[in-house]
């Protein structure tokens, strides 16, 4: 528990445990939950083209990381994203693995959290090199006993996607010969390759379902046709924007790592998607050039201009103590993992800005991934009463809606019972749910 991110998580777990009391979360359990089960950080070496002589290939090593947090139930597996990003590190992934557990427990899913990745910028690699790196990583993970549909099930995260999941799945089946449940080794695969309808859009759609739960419970009040500003335009953010019209939300600002655009009358999301798809870096930077009504805008400018809703859906630690006092929003709907620093959270609470936390709001992805894994492996512990949907968009959406509505209602109930913000209530709900399993499993109480 070294870094600030890990310290923040520990503080959050401690606060929630205190609310529940030592009968529910005794001290030994607190220590157990604040630690991780397994950490793995090999170097993956592949041959890449020599920049000074493209005909020659030279060895290059990349740091890979995978962390398993704590198992929580009879499904016996861990689940979590695989990230390709230059900042991937062991301590960052430890924090995210714990948050993945908390998220899964809030949604009443029977697995532990995991997270991992490779420290690389995928936009700088050719498709061939990306595939070589992915398969070398998968081979090493299988050889070291770290990747299996019965143990650790990876899914897309920042910098990874359906294609990468397909590569891993096909490689796993060829390499291990597991034609029975091998498809369940990763989730977020394409539908023709063992994937489930609606997984790609699940996290973006889930953000809306989370918001609707809070609006429906009259926890949050917004004007009709509220406005939103979104950070990121990758998988999560772009699908949030695509579903916005259906939920009568107007997207007035979007910013990614290269630049931002603002238009109080609303941005044309379909055009923006086409624009991002058509350039190498998949960026919306420069999109202001398509209309005289569109203005270029920086992150600080967008935060000050404000809207009803801010959706951080890119990287962590973007809401800091310096930006929080200037943010002009009613609701923060967290699409990214850990976008808000603990001290900034306090400022948002004091300012009356409601935060629908990542550990609930962005759980659409892991939930539909769980459906996918359960279908691939034909495993869904019957005692959990999670309905695994048929493989069509409507049924997946219906099942996802039920998960958000029922678990969101419990989170709200805990927030009311203890008079605590939603994030703290999410942690408390997660601990309350996992406590009986850990007690029975470790037989220490
Ligand atoms: P992605 O790789 O598809 O997109 C990332 C986006 O973030 C890109 O638009 C990129 O330009 C932008 N970005 C990167 N650095 C930035 C910066 N410094 N400032 C502004 N924008 C920046 O990733 P994704 O899958 O959409 O994931 C986004 C976030 O959501 C991550 O925190 C991820 O952990 C979280 N998340 C993803 C899923 C999922 O199903 N993909 C599920 C839950 C949570």
């Amino acid at each position: 528990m070294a870094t600030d991110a890990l310290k923040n998580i520990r503080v959050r777990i401690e606060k929630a445990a205190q609310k529940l009391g030592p009968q529910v979360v005794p001290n030994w359990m607190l220590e157990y939950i604040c630690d991780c089960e397994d950490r793995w950080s090999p170097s993956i070496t592949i041959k890449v083209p020599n920049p000074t002589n493209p005909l020659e290939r030279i060895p290059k090593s990349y740091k890979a990381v995978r962390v398993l947090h704590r198992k929580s139930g009879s499904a016996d597996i861990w689940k979590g994203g695989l990230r390709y990003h230059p900042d991937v590190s062991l301590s960052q992934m430890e924090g995210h693995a714990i948050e993945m557990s908390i998220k899964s427990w809030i949604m009443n899913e029977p697995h532990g959290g995991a997270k991992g990745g490779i420290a690389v910028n995928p936009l700088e690699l050719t498709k061939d090199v990306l595939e070589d790196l992915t398969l070398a990583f998968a081979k090493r993970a299988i050889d070291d006993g770290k990747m299996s549909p019965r143990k650790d099930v990876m899914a897309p995260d920042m910098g990874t996607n359906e294609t990468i999941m397909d590569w891993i799945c096909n490689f796993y089946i060829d390499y291990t010969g597991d034609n029975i449940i091998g498809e369940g080794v990763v989730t977020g695969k394409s539908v023709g390759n063992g994937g489930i309808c609606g997984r790609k859009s699940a996290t973006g759609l889930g953000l809306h379902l989370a918001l609707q739960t809070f609006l429906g419970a009259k926890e949050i009040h917004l004007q009709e046709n509220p406005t939103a500003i979104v950070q990121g335009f990758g998988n999560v953010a772009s699908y949030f924007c695509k579903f916005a019209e259906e939920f009568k939300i107007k997207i007035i600002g979007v910013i990614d790592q290269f630049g931002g655009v603002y238009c109080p009358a609303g941005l044309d999301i379909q055009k923006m998607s086409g624009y991002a798809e058509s350039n190498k870096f998949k960026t919306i930077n420069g999109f202001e050039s398509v209309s005289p009504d569109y203005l270029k805008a920086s992150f600080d400018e967008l935060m000050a201009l404000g809207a009803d809703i801010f959706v951080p859906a890119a990287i962590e630690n973007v809401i800091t103590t310096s930006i929080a006092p200037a943010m002009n929003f009613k609701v923060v709907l967290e699409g990214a993992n850990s976008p808000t620093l603990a001290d900034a959270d306090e400022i948002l609470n004091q300012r009356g800005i409601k935060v629908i936390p990542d550990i609930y709001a962005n759980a659409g992805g892991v939930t539909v991934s769980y459906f996918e894994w359960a279908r691939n492996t034909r495993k869904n512990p019957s005692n959990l009463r999670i309905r695994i949907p048929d493989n069509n968009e409507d049924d997946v959406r219906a099942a996802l809606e039920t998960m958000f509505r029922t678990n969101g209602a419990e989170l709200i109930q805990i927030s009311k019972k203890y008079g605590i913000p939603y994030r703290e209530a999410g942690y408390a709900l997660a601990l309350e749910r996992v406590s009986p399993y850990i007690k029975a499993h470790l037989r220490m109480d």
Side-chain angles (χ1 to χ4, degrees):
M1 284 275 160
T3 64
D4 284 351
L6 284 166
K7 278 187 204 140
N8 278 341
I9 292 170
R10 186 177 175 112
V11 168
R12 284 169 177 165
I13 292 175
E14 276 173 352
K15 258 175 134 176
Q18 229 169 20
K19 281 276 174 312
L20 297 172
Q23 267 86 3
V24 182
V25 189
N27 256 341
W28 64 263
M29 192 186 292
L30 186 78
E31 294 308 321
Y32 178 78
I33 290 174
C34 288
D35 200 1
C36 291
E37 192 84 25
D38 190 38
R39 299 167 181 84
W40 177 69
S41 52
S43 270
I44 308 294
T45 305
I46 56 165
K47 291 236 169 106
V48 299
N50 183 347
T52 56
N53 175 8
L55 295 175
E56 190 191 28
R57 290 176 88 85
I58 51 169
K60 184 161 181 188
S61 295
Y62 297 87
K63 192 83 204 148
V65 173
R66 189 73 184 169
V67 179
L68 304 185
H69 181 232
R70 296 300 191 185
K71 221 167 62 176
S72 63
S74 46
D76 229 16
I77 55 160
W78 286 264
K79 268 206 79 23
L82 176 68
R83 177 178 293 196
Y84 289 178
H85 190 278
D87 292 345
V88 163
S89 69
L90 199 53
S91 62
Q92 188 200 43
M93 293 297 120
E94 277 185 64
H96 286 318
I98 299 175
E99 286 169 333
M100 277 308 296
S101 288
I102 300 291
K103 193 185 300 186
S104 305
W105 301 343
I106 289 174
M107 297 306 267
N108 220 357
E109 289 159 21
H111 45 249
K115 201 81 165 192
I118 303 179
V120 64
N121 182 353
L123 296 175
E124 286 173 358
L125 304 187
T126 62
K127 198 175 173 201
D128 288 350
V129 173
L130 191 64
E131 185 170 3
D132 284 353
L133 178 61
T134 300
L135 299 189
F137 165 78
K139 182 176 181 306
R140 179 70 188 267
I142 299 165
D143 289 345
D144 288 2
K146 303 293 176 187
M147 180 184 271
S148 151
R150 293 170 199 81
K151 184 174 181 186
D152 180 14
V153 180
M154 305 186 190
D157 190 69
M158 245 180 131
T160 56
N161 55 27
E162 202 172 81
T163 306
I164 290 175
M165 295 303 123
D166 282 351
W167 289 338
I168 296 177
C169 172
N170 296 340
F171 177 79
Y172 182 85
I173 293 171
D174 282 351
Y175 191 60
T176 63
D178 182 353
N179 287 310
I180 315 284
I181 62 164
E183 276 182 342
V185 70
V186 286
T187 55
K189 304 175 291 287
S190 62
V191 176
N193 200 40
I196 189 166
C197 293
R199 170 57 183 93
K200 220 167 158 180
S201 56
T203 311
L205 171 63
L207 288 171
H208 287 286
L209 301 179
L211 178 63
Q212 291 306 312
T213 302
F214 280 77
L215 290 170
K218 310 233 175 309
E219 283 288 303
I220 284 175
H221 304 275
L222 293 175
Q223 62 168 334
E224 254 185 55
N225 300 324
T227 55
I229 289 177
V230 178
Q231 186 189 37
F233 203 66
N235 171 279
V236 179
S238 68
Y239 276 105
F240 176 81
C241 291
K242 284 174 194 163
F243 282 106
E245 197 178 349
E246 178 188 335
F247 290 95
K248 301 194 168 32
I249 292 173
K250 187 162 70 175
I251 307 293
I252 61 170
V254 175
I255 182 155
D256 69 15
Q257 70 194 108
F258 302 105
V261 56
Y262 178 73
C263 176
L267 295 160
D268 184 330
I269 297 304
Q270 209 181 339
K271 239 187 208 166
M272 188 182 268
S273 299
Y275 181 90
E277 274 311 310
S278 69
N279 68 74
K280 183 181 170 208
F281 294 109
K282 311 280 176 232
T283 178
I284 58 110
N285 187 29
F287 186 61
E288 67 279 1
S289 62
V290 309
S291 164
D293 297 334
Y294 292 180
L295 304 166
K296 194 169 180 58
S298 68
F299 181 70
D300 287 1
E301 284 166 345
L302 288 174
M303 292 303 98
L305 284 162
D308 293 305
I309 309 157
F310 174 50
V311 184
I315 50 165
E316 48 273 278
N317 303 341
V318 290
I319 303 180
T320 60
T321 48
S322 50
I323 201 74
M327 285 174 60
N328 201 0
F329 297 88
K330 296 191 174 72
V331 175
V332 173
L333 180 60
E334 294 184 337
N337 288 310
S338 304
T340 310
L341 288 168
D343 293 348
D345 227 3
E346 294 289 323
I347 299 174
L348 298 180
N349 286 336
Q350 280 158 17
R351 294 190 56 219
I353 299 176
K354 304 265 186 162
V355 180
I356 306 184
D358 50 1
I359 46 173
Y360 167 70
N362 72 27
V366 70
T367 301
V368 177
S369 270
Y370 175 69
F371 297 158
E372 182 178 332
W373 174 84
R375 289 183 62 84
N376 292 153
T377 58
R378 293 167 288 283
K379 281 187 180 167
N380 177 37
S382 54
N383 58 332
L384 288 162
R385 299 201 190 92
I386 295 179
R387 186 177 75 79
I388 303 303
D390 292 341
N391 199 355
N392 67 67
E393 296 268 352
D394 289 348
D395 205 34
V396 170
R397 179 166 170 163
L400 188 62
E401 274 172 5
T402 304
M403 296 285 275
F404 270 102
R405 202 176 43 249
T406 53
N407 295 302
E410 289 202 42
L411 192 156
I412 289 168
Q413 209 177 11
I414 290 196
S415 160
K416 280 188 171 142
K417 177 174 168 189
Y418 295 111
I420 51 179
Y422 304 135
R423 192 187 314 278
E424 210 179 316
Y427 273 87
L429 175 59
L431 296 187
E432 199 174 67
R433 288 216 162 128
V434 81
S435 167
Y437 170 79
I438 295 179
K439 279 181 186 166
H441 178 66
L442 296 185
R443 294 194 189 91
M444 286 176 69
D445 224 329

